[in-house]
Amino acid sequence: MTQPLLQVQDLHTVFSTKEGQVKAVDGVSFELNAGETLGIVGESGCGKSVTALSIIRLQRPGRIVGGKVMFKGQDLTRVSEDEMREIRGREIAMIFQDPMTSLNPVYRVGWQVGEPTRLHNGLDARKAFSSAVSMLGRVGIPSAASRARDYPHQFSGGMRQRAMIAMGLTTTPHVLIADEPTTALDVTIQAQILDLLRDVNRDFGTATILITHNLGVVAGMCQRLIVMYAGKIVEAGPTADVFAHPKHPYTWSLLRSIPRLDAETHEPLKPIEGLPPNLVDLPSGCAFHPRCAFRVEKCSRDVPALLRVGDTQQSACWVTQSGTELKGG
Amino acid sequence: MLVKYVARRILASFVVVLGVTLITLILMDRTRGAYVPGIDFNPSLRPEDVARLRADLGLDRPFYVWYLSWIWGVLHGDFGHSMIDGSTVLSHILDRLPNTLELTVTAILIGMIVAIPVGVIGALRRGSKTDNTLTVVSVAGFAVPQFWMGLMLILIFSVTLEQHGLPWLPSSGAFSPFNGGDILDRLQHLILPATVLSFFYVSTWSRFIRSSMLEVLSQDYIRTARAKGMSERRVVYLHGLRNALIPLITLIGLELPGLVSGGLVVEVVFGWPGIGKLAFERALQYDYSTVMGVTFFATLLVIAGNLIADLLYGVLDPRIRYG
Amino acid sequence: MPAAGIETGGARPAQSYWNESWERLRANRIGMTAGILIVVLAAIAVMAPLFSLVLTHYQPQTINLDQTFAKPGAAHLLGSDELGRDTLTRLIWGARVSLGVALLTVALSLSVGTTVGMVAGYYGGWIDDVLMRLVDTVLAIPAIFLFILMSILFRPNAFTLAAIIASVGWGSVARLVRGEVLSVKQRDFVVATRSIGASDSRLMVRHLLPNVLPVLIVAASLGVGQIILVEAALDFLGLGIQPPTPSWGNMLTNAQSYFFRSGWLVALPGITIFITVLASNLFGNAIRDAFDPRLKS
């Protein structure tokens, strides 16, 4: 079996706030293989974005206080800032949620898209610009040559996100991290962007980490997914398996809460009870236990570890680890 | 879009000019009774002569006639005559204008050159001792009376230094009448007043740049820039500062209108032969028409300056240019 | 066991905006110190005659020709000027002028500016256009020239001086108030109040004004320092309060002739102005941070 491209091992990132220390990433481990698409799912504040930022060491003002990020034989948490800069944008690219604010308003789009190749591949301004134009065309922007001379505010939301994707790909990185790439867009555009990401993954072979809170996005895109809650991974596995039989109550509740087209019209929605945890003052034991329909006594005492449950999945839950199936109305 | 923007600004300016002429002349009206040119020089003028002079200048005509003839005069560059010696206000203005501009433009340049680095340092080292010290100095700078600062600098750099036999700076005028006029001499005379005048700019602008930089550096596109793997220097200066300076241009543009009037107090303290000092001297002599003429001229420049600043802003911000 | 997952936390009881702002202000040590300093200065100004009698034993205009240019010492705590008048006494009495004119100017600026801004913002349309053009016009004239012009046209005493300085200040206040009124006007309670038959003036005074007040308070406290500086400058130029009435500015009118006789005489009035304006600015900043935290940089 080939080595995974990226290995995150027991990563810990903390933020110091007035109210106390927040363990945004609390012992996260996962792998990414070349060419595959991995989804990271969770609600706001669960630590998925910080995990991604920690991989490329942009987690400031947070601090990485433990763990490793192995990439091509190097531990990214330990390399020098200069070496890290070589990797950012060239080997691991990241694109962000809101393309309007993520693009610099005073520079032309083509110039910005071409910047990574100017920085990393040593292309001169003209060559970088034309490579940017061709990439913009590749991601589906019509009349790329003239549009590249435009400024961000002259692009529509969907086009800006395409431009961001183009910007991430110009150096043909090994890994593309997309942090909520469709959240700020309307539904029809969302579908187009997801299609684009899928094409890119297929044509360029770029391994992709897709971060989202939307299970629907993950379903069509990712081969594997991990579910995060309060800074920890609570479930991991192939997407199809996780959706068919979730092995963690949180995942189970998430899947149940999605309204279904084939449901009876008078059925009430089933939200997850309770509120997201206060990261400064986490519940004892399993962080999800106050909201869990399956909890037992042990859950409020001991923190469950992420262990294999079933053939292909992992889960951090005392209940499922002891063999119980999650069922319910 | 740019054309519409330009047209709107010009129209607005025009209306304001009209308004200013009205205010100017309403105030001027109060002085009509006393306005007799040359009376100080020639106390032997008989009442008939005075009456004739006034008639010549149209001072006994109704307000609206006077208003219109005054406007007519202004359109031809006639801003009135001095009540002291009858010479044209415009000639005095043109004489002194270069001096004032020399002073204020230098002050603005010093302001920019000092404020930008100070502001950037403050932002990059936010919360450090350097930043706190700079902030304290800026805040203190707002509270210092300009005229007093001028006096104190003269006291220190002219009087005291001279008393101790050290090389000292001149305390008045724009150049030495006897052996001067060359660049070095003019520079020596320029340093103190320009420094005093720039002090306010440095205080204001450095704080502004600092907060502008802090805001820009917290923007998403800065995160994007870092994610693309560029050096911190490039992020800060190429991506950050470029955005942070845009509002500063507006701020500097706001000062353009004040170019003519802003230095008045400094001019008086340092005996700098500019427009401000002109207005002041003539005011002490109750030469209403000169003061009025100078005021109106300065106002025209203010309005023109505002217009230019607006247009400049429109050009610089691509969101308006291609909006 | 408590209800699943419901957060309680230590919730503070909700407070009114004014209470909250006052609390924020109180927490700001620098600002409060500055504020107290100003109150002390104001108290000194008001009780100037008392200080003259009890502390310095001089009147501000008492001439004493054999004690000219005295250095600070037993006889004159802060020295004396070219006519032997006690500097400390004159500084104390000067506070009356500076603070008094400043207060008057603020009062005038605020009342005229608020009225104009309110009317312009509320009625909109051509009234708004005309009033705002008027404001633009007044603000276009360089202030210092206008001041000079008006001080030779109108005899300057404390009241006319305040009116002169306010003649420019009201414009900014009007613009500010108009802006606030425009945004408040959109809110539902305005429509609701009008629907129960409230008259225009009632709406403006009882409903809009209180909402505009925070902005006014902030603007006023930030502007006082500037006003003091302008007033001092006018006095210095001889266009404001005339001698022999002492003001910090006119104590420096002849400063150039003091250079060789007494540096103290040049330094002291300026330092006094500086401290007062600094305190005023710091307090103004504290007020702004307390009443409108959004503006904090």
Side-chain angles (χ1 to χ4, degrees):
Chain A
M1 194 158 82
T2 48
Q3 268 279 68
L5 186 55
L6 182 69
Q7 269 178 311
V8 176
Q9 296 169 354
D10 197 34
L11 186 63
H12 288 264
T13 304
V14 302
F15 285 77
S16 304
T17 70
K18 260 197 309 214
E19 286 89 19
Q21 210 182 51
V22 172
K23 297 199 194 127
V25 181
D26 193 11
V28 164
S29 306
F30 63 89
E31 292 173 354
L32 179 70
N33 297 307
E36 79 169 330
T37 306
L38 172 72
I40 305 186
V41 179
E43 55 199 10
S44 306
C46 71
K48 48 195 201 296
S49 290
V50 181
T51 304
L53 289 168
S54 300
I55 293 176
I56 53 173
R57 292 230 318 247
L58 283 185
Q59 78 291 340
R60 267 188 310 171
R63 289 186 333 272
I64 300 179
V65 295
K68 296 191 198 180
V69 176
M70 303 304 296
F71 178 70
K72 286 172 120 187
Q74 284 184 305
D75 180 4
L76 295 186
T77 62
R78 294 248 147 37
V79 300
S80 71
E81 184 60 26
D82 284 339
E83 287 169 314
M84 197 63 231
R85 268 202 289 272
E86 291 286 308
I87 295 176
R88 275 187 214 130
R90 173 194 237 164
E91 319 223 22
I92 304 181
M94 184 159 174
I95 64 179
F96 300 96
Q97 175 174 330
D98 187 351
M100 182 64 231
T101 56
S102 297
L103 287 171
N104 196 326
V106 299
Y107 292 116
R108 299 181 204 266
V109 174
W111 185 90
Q112 293 186 55
V113 172
E115 209 174 1
T117 49
R118 284 202 306 280
L119 283 171
H120 296 294
N121 300 4
L123 292 187
D124 67 37
R126 201 131 46 100
K127 287 215 200 78
F129 196 82
S130 55
S131 117
V133 168
S134 71
M135 188 57 83
L136 284 171
R138 229 359 233 87
V139 298
I141 293 182
S143 321
S146 61
R147 302 287 344 227
R149 307 192 73 78
D150 285 342
Y151 289 89
H153 70 275
Q154 293 169 287
F155 275 36
S156 71
M159 277 173 44
R160 270 182 239 135
Q161 194 57 291
R162 289 178 194 269
M164 283 280 294
I165 294 174
M167 193 160 69
L169 295 173
T170 45
T171 53
T172 52
H174 296 281
V175 180
L176 177 68
I177 306 179
D179 190 355
E180 309 259 18
T182 55
T183 308
L185 305 171
D186 17 283
V187 177
T188 45
I189 311 293
Q190 276 186 25
Q192 292 174 11
I193 297 297
L194 290 176
D195 283 341
L196 175 60
L197 283 173
R198 223 190 332 252
D199 290 343
V200 156
N201 170 251
R202 188 193 58 219
D203 297 341
F204 287 81
T206 322
T208 308
I209 299 180
L210 183 57
I211 301 173
T212 178
H213 61 268
N214 186 335
L215 282 172
V217 164
V218 171
M221 283 282 310
C222 309
Q223 292 125 1
R224 287 194 301 127
L225 73 84
I226 62 182
V227 181
M228 285 185 70
Y229 188 82
K232 288 178 153 47
I233 298 182
V234 296
E235 174 150 14
T239 311
D241 291 347
V242 173
F243 272 57
H245 23 81
K247 298 289 185 201
H248 191 280
Y250 177 56
T251 322
W252 181 85
S253 312
L254 276 180
L255 288 166
R256 265 177 87 240
S257 69
I258 299 174
R260 297 174 58 111
L261 276 177
D262 58 350
E264 298 286 328
T265 46
H266 54 266
E267 266 183 42
L269 290 177
K270 304 181 194 107
I272 307 180
E273 274 185 22
L275 297 168
N278 179 352
L279 292 174
V280 177
D281 189 18
L282 285 171
S284 56
C286 167
F288 186 66
H289 86 259
R291 308 166 76 184
C292 181
F294 300 93
R295 65 172 177 266
V296 298
E297 225 251 306
K298 187 172 193 188
C299 302
S300 60
R301 275 197 336 255
D302 304 324
V303 180
L306 187 69
L307 297 175
R308 169 143 298 198
V309 178
D311 297 326
T312 54
Q313 290 161 266
Q314 294 173 301
S315 164
C317 174
W318 295 122
V319 173
T320 54
Q321 281 167 7
S322 63
T324 319
E325 284 281 317
L326 299 180
K327 283 205 226 299
Chain B
M1 303 319 111
L2 192 57
V3 176
K4 254 170 81 167
Y5 178 75
V6 168
R8 260 188 304 143
R9 304 309 302 122
I10 293 184
L11 185 63
S13 302
F14 188 67
V15 170
V16 175
V17 170
L18 235 47
V20 172
T21 57
L22 210 55
I23 291 186
T24 305
L25 278 131
I26 291 176
L27 283 177
M28 187 85 153
D29 200 36
R30 257 192 77 107
T31 77
R32 265 210 290 170
Y35 181 51
V36 181
I39 196 170
D40 283 350
F41 281 4
N42 202 344
S44 64
L45 276 178
R46 294 164 305 169
E48 307 90 80
D49 294 324
V50 172
R52 191 172 39 86
L53 275 167
R54 287 169 57 91
D56 277 345
L57 288 155
L59 292 171
D60 52 353
R61 286 189 249 151
F63 179 73
Y64 67 90
V65 176
W66 193 44
Y67 178 64
L68 288 169
S69 64
W70 194 85
I71 301 249
W72 186 245
V74 165
L75 285 174
H76 289 83
D78 176 9
F79 283 82
H81 296 258
S82 160
M83 285 169 72
I84 310 291
D85 53 19
S87 55
T88 61
V89 174
L90 191 59
S91 62
H92 285 287
I93 291 177
L94 292 177
D95 247 352
R96 316 278 199 120
L97 189 56
N99 293 331
T100 297
L101 290 178
E102 182 186 331
L103 182 58
T104 47
V105 169
T106 309
I108 289 185
L109 287 175
I110 295 179
M112 284 200 291
I113 294 175
V114 177
I116 293 180
V118 169
V120 171
I121 291 178
L124 294 180
R125 297 195 203 180
R126 175 199 205 169
S128 70
K129 262 207 269 188
T130 316
D131 179 33
N132 287 333
T133 314
L134 288 175
T135 306
V136 167
V137 172
S138 288
V139 170
F142 280 134
V144 178
Q146 222 176 37
F147 65 92
W148 181 70
M149 187 183 182
L151 290 173
M152 291 303 285
L153 285 189
I154 293 179
L155 182 60
I156 298 174
F157 289 99
S158 280
V159 175
T160 314
L161 283 184
E162 186 181 4
Q163 278 181 335
H164 287 81
L166 293 166
W168 44 276
L169 287 170
S171 64
S172 69
F175 56 88
S176 305
F178 303 115
N179 55 331
D182 66 343
I183 291 278
L184 195 61
D185 184 48
R186 289 192 81 103
L187 267 176
Q188 270 187 321
H189 281 88
L190 188 56
I191 296 183
L192 286 183
T195 306
V196 174
L197 201 51
S198 70
F199 200 64
F200 178 74
Y201 295 138
V202 171
S203 301
T204 326
W205 293 347
S206 63
R207 298 210 79 200
F208 185 78
I209 296 255
R210 179 182 175 278
S211 66
S212 184
M213 273 299 274
L214 283 176
E215 205 198 301
V216 163
L217 288 177
S218 69
Q219 293 293 314
D220 288 344
Y221 54 81
I222 294 295
R223 185 181 52 175
T224 306
R226 289 205 180 106
K228 292 204 276 195
M230 63 185 76
S231 65
E232 196 61 18
R233 262 186 101 99
R234 192 184 163 94
V235 171
V236 167
Y237 291 105
L238 198 60
H239 283 262
L241 194 57
R242 173 82 171 73
N243 275 277
L245 285 183
I246 293 181
L248 181 69
I249 303 289
T250 317
L251 216 58
I252 295 181
L254 284 176
E255 294 300 326
L256 289 184
L259 270 186
V260 169
S261 52
L264 191 145
V265 173
V266 171
E267 284 182 18
V268 171
V269 169
F270 285 91
W272 189 268
I275 294 206
K277 183 151 175 290
L278 171 69
F280 175 66
E281 287 167 343
R282 293 310 169 109
L284 290 182
Q285 296 174 299
Y286 290 91
D287 183 356
Y288 298 111
S289 56
T290 304
V291 179
M292 293 264 27
V294 170
T295 302
F296 187 67
F297 184 84
T299 309
L300 281 183
L301 289 185
V302 166
I303 296 175
N306 277 331
L307 189 58
I308 293 178
D310 280 342
L311 296 182
L312 212 69
Y313 185 70
V315 164
L316 274 174
D317 189 337
R319 285 167 281 197
I320 296 185
R321 192 152 44 132
Y322 301 99
Chain C
M1 205 162 183
I6 306 296
E7 305 279 341
T8 44
R12 278 168 65 235
Q15 287 181 304
S16 81
Y17 170 71
W18 296 98
N19 282 342
E20 263 194 20
S21 301
W22 177 238
E23 294 253 328
R24 272 197 290 261
L25 185 60
R26 276 231 306 236
N28 187 332
R29 319 265 300 300
I30 297 181
M32 287 306 283
T33 315
I36 292 175
L37 184 59
I38 295 187
V39 170
V40 166
L41 280 169
I44 293 180
V46 167
M47 297 191 294
L50 190 63
F51 278 95
S52 266
L53 217 53
V54 168
L55 182 65
T56 65
H57 307 292
Y58 290 107
Q59 289 299 315
Q61 314 198 7
T62 311
I63 297 182
N64 205 333
L65 288 172
D66 41 277
Q67 278 182 24
T68 62
F69 294 111
K71 296 265 181 272
H76 293 275
L77 287 169
L78 288 178
S80 69
D81 70 2
E82 75 273 21
L83 292 179
R85 296 175 293 199
D86 180 53
T87 305
L88 178 58
T89 312
R90 302 197 82 211
L91 286 176
I92 292 176
W93 283 79
R96 292 189 141 195
V97 169
S98 294
L99 297 179
V101 172
L103 199 64
L104 215 52
T105 309
V106 168
L108 284 172
S109 277
L110 285 187
S111 31
V112 175
T114 307
T115 314
V116 170
M118 194 81 92
V119 168
Y122 183 76
Y123 288 109
W126 64 269
I127 297 184
D128 183 22
D129 281 336
V130 165
L131 285 176
M132 282 305 115
R133 289 301 139 249
L134 180 62
V135 169
D136 283 344
T137 310
V138 167
L139 287 179
I141 305 180
I144 191 79
F145 283 123
L146 194 61
F147 294 151
I148 291 181
L149 189 59
M150 286 169 89
S151 61
I152 57 175
L153 288 174
F154 309 101
R155 181 152 306 283
N157 56 44
F159 295 98
T160 56
L161 192 57
I164 289 173
I165 302 179
S167 70
V168 170
W170 73 265
S172 322
V173 174
R175 273 201 188 143
L176 199 61
V177 170
R178 174 183 174 272
E180 279 300 298
V181 168
L182 285 180
S183 68
V184 172
K185 216 170 59 158
Q186 314 297 348
R187 295 199 218 149
D188 292 337
F189 77 85
V190 174
V191 180
T193 312
R194 233 191 287 202
S195 69
I196 63 169
S199 74
D200 286 340
S201 56
R202 182 182 177 84
L203 212 86
M204 283 195 275
V205 174
R206 300 290 312 270
H207 295 273
L208 290 176
L209 188 58
N211 277 283
V212 162
L213 222 43
V215 174
L216 278 181
I217 293 176
V218 170
S221 32
L222 289 177
V224 174
Q226 266 312 104
I227 294 178
I228 297 178
L229 286 175
V230 167
E231 193 271 331
L234 285 176
D235 289 345
F236 164 73
L237 292 176
L239 297 170
I241 303 294
Q242 306 288 323
T245 310
S247 91
W248 298 337
N250 72 21
M251 283 167 80
L252 289 168
T253 309
N254 297 315
Q256 308 236 350
S257 65
Y258 307 157
F259 281 153
F260 297 100
R261 307 298 299 273
S262 170
W264 290 100
L265 214 41
V266 179
L268 286 169
I271 294 177
T272 317
I273 299 175
F274 171 67
I275 294 178
T276 309
V277 173
L278 185 62
S280 164
N281 285 347
L282 288 174
F283 188 58
N285 283 347
I287 295 223
R288 180 202 59 206
D289 292 343
F291 281 79
D292 200 349
R294 300 174 288 161
L295 290 178
K296 200 168 180 164
S297 58

